[in-house]
Amino acid sequence: RIVSGSYDCTVRVWDAETGEPVILADMQLEDSSEDDDEMVTFVAFSPDGKTIVSTSNMNIRIWDAQTGRLIRVLEGHPGAFRGAFSPDGIKFVTTPALVKDNTLGLWDTSSGEQIRELMTSHKNAVCFSPDGSCIASASGSTIQLWDGHTARGKILRGHERDVNSVAFSPDGTRIASGGDDMTVRLWDVEKRSYIGEPMRGHTRRVTSVVFSPDDAFIFSGSEDKTIRCWDASSCIPVGHPLIGHTGEILGLAVSQDGTRIVTGSYDETS
C-alpha cells in the first residue's frame, strides 16, 4: 500500500498494484475546509503497517491504517512540518511547524505523550538511524546528528544552501542529503564529515532523497520534475533521469523489495 497526504487536507491510502484507493472514505482533517494550517505536510506508515501518522501546522494525528479511523491527536505541540518513526515504531519525532518554535518533539506512539524536546531550529527534515540510536535533522545549510540517549547534537556542514531532505543508509553508516544548492551529498556518520564531491545533475533544488533497501543506490527527487539515481559507493549517476511529472517532486519512497519507486508532486499526482 501507499499513503499520501495533500494540501487538500486529506490523507489517502492506495493499492500499490492497481493505483486504486483502498480506504474509500478519505481521512479528512476536521474543520479544515482547505485551511492552510490543516494542509497535510507529512505522512508515514508505522513500521508494522498498522497505523499512519500525519502532520499539519496545527496537529499531529494517528490513524488506523486499515479503517481510516482517527485514533488520537498528539497534544502538547502546535503541529509539525515533518516527522519520522523510530525503527521499532515506539517513538515518533517531529520538526516544528511554527517559525518561532525551535524544538524537535519526541513522542510515545502508544500513549500519545511527548517524551522530550530537542532544542534546534531545524525543521526541513528529520529521520531515525536504522538502529534507532541517532536522529538526523536538517535546516538552513546544516545537518544535526542527535544521540538518542543523551540528546547531544553534532553539526554537519557542507551544503551551500538549505538542506531539504536527509536519509540514513540501511546499514546506518552514511547519510544522504539534498538541498537548495541542487546537489546530493553523502556523509560518513562515524567521522561526521562528507564523503567525496557533491552529486550534481539536478537543475533546481533537491527536495527528497532515499537509499535503496540494498544500500546500492541513492534516489533523489527535485523541483526540476525529475528523479535521479546515483551509485551509493562511487556517487556517480546511474542511467538517465526519470521524467513523468509536470510539477515539482515533493516526496519519494522506494518499495521494500527495491523494485519500485513512488513519488508525489505538485501536479497533484503520485
Side-chain angles (χ1 to χ4, degrees):
R1 295 177 299 165
I2 298 167
V3 62
S4 63
S6 171
Y7 283 3
D8 66 7
C9 306
T10 64
V11 177
R12 299 179 187 236
V13 179
W14 312 83
D15 186 299
E17 297 294 338
T18 66
E20 297 295 323
V22 295
I23 295 180
L24 297 181
D26 291 336
M27 292 179 274
Q28 179 78 37
L29 306 191
E30 297 177 1
D31 302 322
S32 59
S33 301
E34 297 198 24
D35 186 318
D36 286 352
D37 286 335
E38 285 290 21
M39 292 178 178
V40 180
T41 56
F42 176 83
V43 290
F45 279 109
S46 60
D48 63 9
K50 293 181 179 180
T51 58
I52 295 168
V53 167
S54 68
T55 66
S56 72
N57 287 344
M58 291 298 293
N59 287 292
I60 305 162
R61 291 176 168 89
I62 300 179
W63 311 83
D64 186 300
Q66 298 299 322
T67 66
R69 178 180 62 88
L70 179 63
I71 298 174
R72 67 172 55 92
V73 178
L74 303 187
E75 304 290 346
H77 205 268
F81 183 63
R82 292 287 185 266
F85 275 102
S86 60
D88 58 12
I90 295 174
K91 298 175 184 177
F92 189 75
V93 62
T94 55
T95 69
L98 304 179
V99 174
K100 295 182 180 180
D101 185 355
N102 294 320
T103 62
L104 296 181
L106 192 61
W107 307 83
D108 183 302
T109 56
S110 297
S111 66
E113 295 181 355
Q114 189 169 19
I115 302 170
R116 176 183 289 172
E117 287 186 340
L118 305 177
M119 298 302 297
T120 179
S121 59
H122 285 189
K123 66 175 292 181
N124 286 357
V126 67
C127 63
F128 273 96
S129 61
D131 65 1
S133 66
C134 183
I135 296 171
S137 62
S139 197
S141 60
T142 64
I143 300 165
Q144 190 156 8
L145 296 183
W146 300 88
D147 185 296
H149 303 294
T150 66
R152 293 178 179 175
K154 172 71 175 180
I155 297 291
L156 306 182
R157 293 180 171 86
H159 279 282
E160 297 176 0
R161 297 179 65 186
D162 279 9
V163 181
N164 300 312
S165 182
V166 289
F168 276 95
S169 61
D171 64 5
T173 62
R174 294 167 296 166
I175 292 173
S177 60
D180 280 4
D181 57 9
M182 302 183 289
T183 70
V184 177
R185 273 195 176 274
L186 193 61
W187 306 82
D188 185 300
V189 173
E190 184 176 356
K191 294 179 180 179
R192 303 294 199 264
S193 61
Y194 57 80
I195 302 170
E197 295 299 315
M199 290 167 256
R200 303 184 186 275
H202 285 294
T203 58
R204 300 189 71 175
R205 70 189 186 105
V206 178
T207 57
S208 51
V209 293
V210 66
F211 279 88
S212 62
D214 63 3
D215 214 358
F217 304 106
I218 299 168
F219 296 96
S220 58
S222 169
E223 199 176 63
D224 66 12
K225 309 172 189 175
T226 70
I227 303 158
R228 287 181 178 267
C229 179
W230 313 85
D231 187 292
S233 296
S234 65
C235 297
I236 63 174
V238 178
H240 298 288
L242 303 181
I243 300 173
H245 282 292
T246 59
E248 172 184 350
I249 306 292
L250 298 176
L252 176 67
V254 180
S255 62
Q256 291 182 344
D257 62 6
T259 62
R260 290 172 292 181
I261 301 169
V262 62
T263 55
S265 168
Y266 259 131
D267 63 15
E268 301 180 2
T269 69
S270 294

